[in-house]
Structures are given as C-alpha cells and as structure tokens.
C-alpha cells in the first residue's frame, strides 16, 4: 500500500482547491461582468430618452415662439407633438426600477419637476385659454424655468455619461483581473500537480526499493512473495502448471574466505545477471538472502518440471563456469497447480528439497514430485 507524503497531500489539497477555483470563479466573474454590462445597457437606453426630453424642450420653445410671432396653428401642433414625446420619455424614465436602483431616481424626478413646471404656461397657450398678448408676457417669465429644466436634463446626461465611463472601466478591470487570476490558478494547479507526480514517483521508487535486493537488484523475499501471488493468479487463468525452484551456491563461503567479501558480492551480481539472461520472460527471479535464490517457472499442463529445471540449472552452471567461479548449485524444486496454491507451504517444500540436494552431495537437484530423480 502506497504511503503518500505530507507534501503530496498538501499539494493535492492545493491542486483541488485551484481546480475548484477554476471551476467556480469564472461564473462569478461572468456574472459580475454581465451585471455591469446590463447596467450599461439600461443607462445607455435611458440616456437616449433624456436626449429626447431635451430635444422636445427645444422644439416646444421654438413652436411657442413661432405661434406668438405668426399665430399659425401648425406651431401649436408641433408643440403638442413634442410635448407628448417629452411626457412619454419622462414617464419611461420615472417608471424604470433599474434606473432607480442605480441611483438616478432623484435626478429623474428633478428633471420631470422642472419640465412640468416650465410646461404650465405653454400648455395654456396650446389650449388657447389665454390670448396671445397675455401668453407672450407669461412665456417671457418662463425663461428661468426653461433654463432650470435644461440644466436638470444636462446634469442627468452628464451623470449618465460618467456612469458609463466608470462601468466600462470596471468591466475592463474585471476582465484583466480574471485573466491574471486564471493564469495564477492554472500555474498553481500545474505546480501542485508536478509536486504530486514527483512525490508519487518517489513513493513508488521507495516502494520498489523495498521489494528489491540492493546488491543484485533482483526481487527480495518480500517482493518475490508479492509478485508470486500475481503470477500464480495469472497462471491459473492460463491453465498451466508451475514449479518453484530454490537453490544456493555450493562453495560460496569458500569464495568469501579465500577471495574476500568483495569477490563474493561480485559473484552474487554475476549470478543475478546470469539468471536474468537465462530465465524466460515469464519466469520470476529473486534473491531470497545470502546465496539463496528462487525462480518461479511456468510450463504446459502435462509437462513435468524436470526439463525446465534441468535446463535452467545447466544454463546457469555453464555461465558460472565461463566466469571461472568455483561454485555449483544445489537445487530444490516443487511442482504444483496454481489452483489453491499455498505459496508459504511451497516455499518450505522447495527449501526442504534444496537441503536434501545438499545432503546428497551438493551439485544436484531434488524435485518434489513422484519418482523425482536427482
């Protein structure tokens, strides 16, 4: 079972947080930006209505003056049309909850009040309830009211323009912030992922080292036991027979005594190299400790273990002789069916057969099956 380091756990947590942020923050930014854009759209559309109010005021002034000068009814028609447009535009401004929510309510109210106050006398003129002379005198008094309405409209328009400039700047700022934030989060996620991968690789390497013999790099007893279980399960599905072969070196102690432990270590390394070359790809090779080694072999069902064991023993011995090492092999083996195999019992049986081979004079083979011969 892998044990993940504390750094890896922290890195995993930060990676998950960064990924979570990458998932949750974009909608937040999108909502914020979309909200600003909606506000801008509202103000832009209402700004057009403010312009309509100001234009209608100018038309009304021109129409009333034209009527006073010429007395023609067409000027009053122009006035009434402009006044209707002004009234509709003011009503739209006043009835907009979005505009009120954005803080423009008082300015709209001020504009409407000033426009209605100015319209009092022109409305009397347009309804023909006063004569032209009286209307002319009263209209002159309306100049101050007209300027007040005009100033209220311009003030509202200026505030709207400032609002749009500010919000457009905020949209740009949010977009830049999100770009930097997303880049930072992505970098954090990448860095944390690298830390996790390195930690896992280190953990896997440590786990592999714990299953390997440091001198020969072959599987050690623990690694051999774990790998054997996997190989046996695979062999059971493939319907093959198996043989567990254990051996040690006759004369290994003499090499250590006469040539030194460095020579003994080199002998073990050479033997490990020979085993990896001579064993088949499907065989499992291990150093169990000291000068004791093990090989787990597969062979077709119905074929006894002797041919495979003898072939491998002879190949190993020939290669050892070529390297001029004065040692031989005492081999113990046990054949078994992968189904319901007890590996601990099989290891004990193979060891027993190996010691039988040693007692029989060394440099021989003992196989745990009926009528096995050395």
């Amino acid at each position: 079972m892998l044990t993940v380091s504390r750094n890896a756990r922290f890195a995993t947590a930060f990676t998950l947080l960064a990924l979570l942020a990458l998932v949750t923050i974009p909608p937040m930014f999108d909502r914020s930006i979309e909200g600003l854009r909606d506000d801008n759209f509202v103000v832009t559309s209402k700004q057009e209505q403010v312009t309509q109010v100001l234009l209608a005021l100018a038309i009304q002034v021109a129409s009333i003056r034209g009527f006073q000068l010429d007395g023609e009814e067409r000027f009053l028609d122009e006035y009434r049309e402009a006044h209707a447009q002004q009234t509709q535009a003011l009503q739209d401004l006043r009835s907009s909850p979005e505009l009120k929510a954005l803080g423009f309510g008082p300015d709209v109210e001020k504009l409407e009040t000033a426009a209605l106050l100015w319209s009092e006398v022109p409305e009397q003129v347009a309804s023909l309830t006063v004569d032209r002379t009286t209307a002319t005198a009263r209209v002159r008094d309306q100049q101050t009211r007209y300027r007040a309405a005009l100033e209220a409209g311009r003030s509202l328009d200026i505030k709207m323009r400032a609002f749009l400039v500010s919000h457009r700047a905020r949209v740009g700022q949010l977009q830049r912030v999100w770009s930097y934030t997303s880049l930072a989060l992505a970098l954090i996620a990448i860095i944390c992922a690298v830390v996790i991968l390195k930690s896992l690789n280190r953990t896997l390497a440590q786990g592999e080292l714990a299953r390997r013999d440091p001198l020969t790099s072959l599987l050690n007893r623990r690694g051999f036991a774990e790998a054997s279980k996997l190989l046996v399960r695979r062999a059971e599905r493939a319907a093959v027979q198996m043989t567990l072969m254990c051996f040690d070196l006759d004369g290994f102690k003499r090499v250590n005594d006469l040539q030194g432990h460095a020579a003994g270590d080199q002998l073990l390394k050479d033997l490990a190299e020979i085993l990896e070359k001579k064993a088949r790809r499907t065989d499992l090779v291990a150093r169990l400790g000291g000068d004791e080694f093990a090989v787990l072999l597969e062979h077709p069902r119905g074929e006894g273990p002797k041919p495979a064991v003898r072939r491998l023993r002879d190949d190993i011995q020939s290669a050892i002789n070529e390297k001029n090492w004065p040692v031989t092999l005492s081999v113990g083996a046990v054949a078994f069916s992968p189904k319901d195999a007890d590996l601990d019992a099989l290891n004990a049986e193979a060891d027993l057969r190996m010691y039988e081979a040693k007692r029989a004079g060394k440099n021989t083979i003992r196989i745990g099956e009926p009528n096995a011969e050395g």
Side-chain angles (χ1 to χ4, degrees):
M1 182 177 180
L2 292 178
T3 302
V4 182
S5 68
R6 179 180 297 179
N7 287 340
R9 290 196 294 271
F10 284 149
T12 301
F14 278 119
T15 301
L16 292 176
L17 288 175
L19 293 175
L20 180 63
L22 283 171
V23 172
T24 57
I25 289 180
M28 294 171 56
F29 272 93
D30 287 342
R31 285 194 296 271
S32 298
I33 293 173
E34 193 63 29
L36 290 173
R37 286 173 174 166
D38 289 344
D39 293 344
N40 286 352
F41 176 78
V42 169
V43 173
T44 300
S45 62
K46 299 305 178 183
Q47 190 181 28
E48 294 177 0
Q49 293 174 339
V50 173
T51 302
Q52 289 178 1
V53 171
L54 296 176
L55 180 60
L57 279 171
I59 293 173
Q60 290 174 71
V61 170
S63 299
I64 292 297
R65 285 179 178 173
F67 175 72
Q68 289 173 332
L69 291 174
D70 296 339
E72 295 184 13
E73 288 289 331
R74 64 182 180 86
F75 288 109
L76 294 181
D77 292 337
E78 291 177 1
Y79 167 82
R80 294 186 186 103
E81 183 180 353
H83 183 72
Q85 293 175 352
Q86 171 189 297
T87 302
Q88 183 61 49
L90 286 171
Q91 182 180 350
D92 291 341
L93 290 170
R94 184 180 65 252
S95 62
S96 171
E98 297 88 358
L99 209 58
K100 291 178 182 178
L102 295 174
F104 292 103
D107 298 281
V108 171
E109 185 177 349
K110 183 178 179 180
L111 172 60
E112 184 178 26
T113 301
L116 292 175
L117 186 62
W118 177 83
S119 297
E120 288 178 356
V121 173
E123 280 295 289
Q124 295 174 4
V125 174
S127 63
L128 301 176
T129 57
V130 296
D131 56 65
R132 290 175 58 192
T133 303
T134 303
T136 301
R138 291 182 179 179
V139 167
R140 289 188 185 124
D141 295 335
Q142 294 297 105
Q143 295 299 320
T144 301
R145 293 182 178 182
Y146 170 72
R147 284 194 294 269
L150 191 62
E151 183 61 30
R154 289 174 176 172
S155 175
L156 178 56
D157 182 70
I158 290 172
K159 287 184 178 181
M160 286 181 166
R161 291 179 185 277
F163 176 91
L164 291 174
V165 170
S166 173
H167 271 52
R168 286 166 184 160
R170 288 179 62 187
V171 169
Q173 183 180 17
L174 278 176
Q175 289 174 332
R176 287 192 297 273
V177 169
W178 167 234
S179 298
Y180 296 141
T181 302
S182 59
L183 179 60
L185 290 172
L187 287 175
I188 290 173
I190 292 171
I191 291 171
C192 290
V194 170
V195 172
I196 292 171
L197 289 175
K198 286 187 176 181
S199 178
L200 289 176
N201 287 335
R202 185 164 55 250
T203 300
L204 289 171
Q206 291 171 349
E208 182 67 13
L209 288 174
R211 292 164 177 77
R212 292 281 174 180
D213 171 53
L215 179 64
T216 64
S217 296
L218 296 178
L219 290 172
N220 58 20
R221 187 179 293 274
R222 173 186 172 184
F224 184 68
E226 293 177 357
S228 295
K229 293 177 182 177
L230 298 176
L231 188 59
V232 167
R233 284 199 292 268
R234 188 185 70 186
E236 183 178 354
R237 292 192 297 270
V240 297
Q241 293 291 103
M242 305 194 77
T243 296
L244 176 60
M245 171 181 168
C246 292
F247 65 89
D248 70 1
L249 298 176
D250 307 321
F252 178 71
K253 184 175 183 302
R254 183 176 178 81
V255 171
N256 273 335
D257 292 342
L258 295 179
Q259 301 184 40
H261 288 285
D265 288 347
Q266 187 59 50
L267 169 55
L268 295 175
K269 291 178 183 179
D270 288 347
L271 179 56
E273 183 180 348
I274 291 168
L275 274 171
E276 290 184 324
K277 288 181 179 179
K278 300 300 182 182
R280 296 171 302 182
R281 185 175 58 84
T282 56
D283 297 338
L284 194 63
V285 180
R287 179 191 177 196
L288 301 183
D291 61 332
E292 184 178 352
F293 293 78
V295 183
L296 187 60
L297 308 100
E298 295 180 1
H299 49 84
R301 190 179 295 277
E303 178 183 301
K306 282 184 180 180
V309 172
R310 287 188 179 279
R311 177 194 62 78
L312 183 57
R313 194 285 300 265
D314 292 345
D315 287 347
I316 294 172
Q317 189 64 62
S318 297
I320 288 175
N321 293 340
E322 289 177 3
K323 290 181 176 291
N324 297 317
W325 289 112
V327 293
T328 56
L329 307 181
S330 290
V331 180
V334 57
F336 65 95
S337 172
K339 186 177 181 180
D340 301 324
D342 185 341
L343 290 173
D344 291 335
L346 291 169
N347 278 321
E349 176 70 13
D351 277 342
L352 179 62
R353 300 297 178 180
M354 182 181 68
Y355 287 117
E356 288 179 359
K358 278 190 170 297
R359 287 194 296 271
K362 302 181 179 181
N363 192 24
T364 188
I365 300 173
R366 286 292 181 268
I367 300 178
E369 65 169 6
N371 302 320
E373 297 180 0

